[in-house]
Amino acid sequence: MTPLADASAPFTPVRAGADAAVRERQSRTESILTELACCSTARERLRLQQEAVLLNLALADSIASRYAGRGIDRDDLVQVGRVGLLKAVVGYHANKGMGFAAYATPTITGEIKRYFRDYGWMVRPPRRLQELHAEVSTAETDLQHRLQRAPSAGELADALGIEPGELSDALVARSGYTALSLDAPNRADSGSSLGDSLPEDVDPYAAVERAEWLRPVLAGLTDRERRVIGLRFVAGLTQEQIGRHLGVSQMQVSRLLGRILCRMRDDLGITDAAEIA
């Protein structure tokens, strides 16, 4: 039978142990960064920086996890957060300010927010809407805590000092973080996809017009030249692949294409090379 624990032994809550571990980590980090400030050799500086980063990975990962579920994979956020941690280690001045954690937290947060701003939008709205969207998210959270309920659109607009129309634009911008696949079902009970409902961006009359426009010019090419044009612009082969078909080098194919296209532009009376290529 397992003996009962000594009733006289003091009870140590788990939180106390966690706080002690945090204090130990902070103390060790300050010691490393103080040593780093006095270090003169590049190799030793790199070792100390790596040690400080590894010691504080949990801080960066914790901050990154706060932004999960907002349209960017958590693994990407963790990597960005760790980049911010490295920048904080490099930029921190020991024994100044409130300590490394107080310096690193806004540095890591800022790095993640910049990543959202620069890479988080599937459809990028104007910069003003991006900034307003961030302000709306912050105000919405604050009002929800204060009111103990979801704030109305009017309350949000009043808190931010903006017009309801601006708020509406910012809320619509939220959808810019994610995009639906064109293969997604159009309706739950339908076998069609969203892509099936998009209009065809094809003008058959324009295709006929282009064909008739090019017909006399193509007729003036040799069989070999027409084959090169067909392999490049119909089959979509690269110059290297065309060279293998013809038994010549990629450079020879490049020069041959250049001569063919130049002659076709002259025959069509085109001066802008972008109009035929």
Side-chain angles (χ1 to χ4, degrees):
M1 185 174 180
T2 304
L4 294 175
D6 184 0
S8 62
F11 172 70
T12 303
V14 175
R15 181 63 186 174
D19 288 344
V22 170
R23 287 194 297 271
E24 174 63 24
R25 184 191 71 202
Q26 292 174 341
S27 175
R28 176 60 183 152
T29 299
E30 292 295 335
S31 175
I32 292 171
L33 295 177
T34 300
E35 185 179 353
L36 178 63
C38 303
C39 183
S40 58
T41 64
R43 186 171 183 175
E44 183 64 11
R45 286 183 62 82
L46 180 60
R47 184 191 69 79
L48 291 170
Q49 287 172 349
Q50 290 176 338
E51 188 175 350
V53 168
L54 291 173
L55 192 61
N56 289 276
L57 285 179
L59 173 63
D61 295 355
S62 173
I63 295 173
S65 66
R66 301 175 194 170
Y67 294 86
R70 301 190 187 184
I72 294 180
D73 289 343
R74 187 180 184 281
D75 288 346
D76 291 340
L77 293 175
V78 168
Q79 291 300 316
V80 175
R82 292 180 178 185
V83 169
L85 173 62
L86 177 57
K87 290 183 177 181
V89 168
V90 172
Y92 180 67
H93 297 287
N95 302 318
K96 291 184 179 181
M98 299 295 293
F100 177 73
Y103 175 83
T105 296
T107 304
I108 296 168
T109 301
E111 193 71 19
I112 292 173
K113 288 183 176 180
R114 278 191 295 274
Y115 189 83
F116 268 97
R117 183 194 68 198
D118 296 336
Y119 302 103
W121 300 93
M122 294 293 291
V123 178
R124 187 183 296 275
R127 180 67 176 272
R128 168 58 184 155
L129 280 184
Q130 294 182 37
E131 295 172 348
L132 186 56
H133 168 266
E135 295 173 9
V136 168
S137 297
T138 301
E140 191 172 22
T141 301
D142 292 343
L143 283 174
Q144 191 161 359
H145 282 302
R146 193 191 320 156
L147 302 174
Q148 296 299 306
R149 60 173 174 80
S152 66
E155 289 168 335
L156 264 177
D158 289 342
L160 292 166
I162 60 176
E163 296 296 325
E166 293 180 275
L167 175 64
S168 177
D169 290 342
L171 294 176
V172 169
R174 285 181 174 177
S175 61
Y177 275 123
T178 57
L180 287 176
S181 169
L182 291 176
D183 295 325
N186 199 7
R187 292 188 300 274
D189 58 347
S190 171
S192 64
S193 67
L194 289 175
D196 295 332
S197 63
L198 295 177
E200 290 286 341
D201 188 19
V202 177
D203 183 353
Y205 296 104
V208 171
E209 183 179 349
R210 282 194 299 270
E212 291 301 317
W213 187 50
L214 290 171
R215 190 185 305 278
V217 178
L218 292 172
L221 301 178
T222 66
D223 290 342
R224 185 169 185 260
E225 289 171 337
R226 279 195 295 271
R227 186 183 179 197
V228 171
I229 292 295
L231 290 173
R232 180 67 184 92
F233 297 105
V234 178
L237 301 187
T238 65
Q239 293 181 3
E240 184 179 355
Q241 292 169 330
I242 295 172
R244 288 199 292 268
H245 273 275
L246 301 179
V248 298
S249 69
Q250 181 267 336
M251 185 61 68
Q252 289 174 296
V253 173
S254 177
R255 287 197 292 263
L256 180 58
L257 270 172
R259 287 197 300 269
I260 295 171
L261 294 176
C262 183
R263 192 195 321 161
M264 292 177 67
R265 285 194 292 270
D266 289 342
D267 291 344
L268 292 168
I270 293 174
T271 56
D272 185 357
E275 292 187 46
I276 178 171

